[in-house]
Amino acid sequence: MTLPRDERTIRLMTWNIHRGVGPDGRFELERIAALIGRHAPDIVALQEVDTRGRDPACLAPLTALHAENGHVAEARTITAPDGHYGHSVFSRWQIRNVTLHDLSMGRREPRSAIETVIETEQGDLHLVAVHLGLAITERRRQAKMLTSMALEQEGLATVMLGDFNDWFSFGKVRSTLAAVLPERTMLATFPARWPRLRLDRVYCRLPCRLVRCWTDTDARQCSDHLPVIAEIRILKADEAISAARPGGSSRT
């Protein structure tokens, strides 16, 4: 499903692309790039970007998405002689203050968060892209670290998005993040063929407002996750004050 653009919003997309391998076993980033391009997001966070065993030029279909005036920040959580694995943020606007936070726990798979400030047309957006761990205790500690990042940028429009690997409807990870980022998507994205779990999400807080969100079931041909597409607005100061009041709203 593709929705028409609302020019008053910023369109985000997060997607775990399963190393570029679809259910047919084929590595084909062209079809992933085509689906992303269909939604024309301003900012894209991709998880499981993997070049291991392949020519680094294999990422060309993804980098071409923002070839004109495009900006990229990446976290290579695994680096091997034959390539690397991790997650990335692509933006049509300038990315600055990129910080990679190590979220790794013990001997578990390395994890990281990409923290940035993106200079959008509506103002600065503090954005954190993540791919959290599989263990419950691991995710709880990572959620606390993410909360600290949000609190350190109090007052700045903040979005956190990615694969949170949190399948509990009312779990500690969700409640911890919701305490500082109360607006969030609640779309089932995994497994792509019969989505039941809300692993992939977008969180935000005032002066950032979640306007609408959806997914695209055609993505089941490309990955084991469905993407989340979300549109947000960065409210002006007076709008944010009004929205923060009990019963207040600046949704349009």
Side-chain angles (χ1 to χ4, degrees), residues 3 5 8-9 20 42-43 57 62 70 80 118 130 132 137 146 151 166 210 221 227 232 241 249:
L3 297 182
R5 291 297 302 258
R8 299 169 298 176
T9 65
D42 299 307
I43 301 168
L62 299 182
I118 298 180
V130 306
L132 299 191
T137 54
L146 295 176
L151 293 174
D166 184 33
L210 178 64
Q221 306 301 324
I232 62 168
I241 292 172
S249 174

Side-chain angles (χ1 to χ4, degrees), residues 47 74-78 85-88 99-105 109-115 128-133 138 142 145-146 149 161 163:
Q47 301 84 49
E74 64 175 359
R76 299 183 178 184
T77 53
I78 298 175
Y85 168 93
H87 59 118
S88 303
T99 303
L100 302 183
H101 296 271
D102 186 1
L103 305 181
S104 304
M105 300 294 171
E109 179 181 326
R111 302 286 178 175
S112 65
I114 305 172
E115 182 178 22
V128 181
V130 306
H131 187 189
L132 299 191
E138 180 183 16
Q142 290 165 345
M145 296 170 73
L146 295 176
M149 293 178 211
L161 74 171
D163 179 357

Side-chain angles (χ1 to χ4, degrees), residues 46-132:
L46 299 179
Q47 301 84 49
E48 295 198 18
V49 178
D50 195 355
T51 67
R52 291 172 297 178
R54 298 183 174 90
D55 187 326
C58 69
L59 296 182
L62 299 182
T63 55
L65 288 171
H66 292 276
E68 297 182 8
N69 303 317
H71 306 275
V72 182
E74 64 175 359
R76 299 183 178 184
T77 53
I78 298 175
T79 301
D82 61 344
H84 58 83
Y85 168 93
H87 59 118
S88 303
V89 174
F90 299 82
S91 170
R92 61 175 291 209
W93 297 299
Q94 179 71 42
I95 298 175
R96 71 172 197 270
N97 300 350
V98 177
T99 303
L100 302 183
H101 296 271
D102 186 1
L103 305 181
S104 304
M105 300 294 171
R107 296 184 179 180
R108 302 198 64 83
E109 179 181 326
R111 302 286 178 175
S112 65
I114 305 172
E115 182 178 22
T116 69
V117 174
I118 298 180
E119 300 176 358
T120 82
E121 294 173 348
Q122 296 183 20
D124 284 354
L125 176 65
H126 174 229
L127 182 138
V128 181
V130 306
H131 187 189
L132 299 191

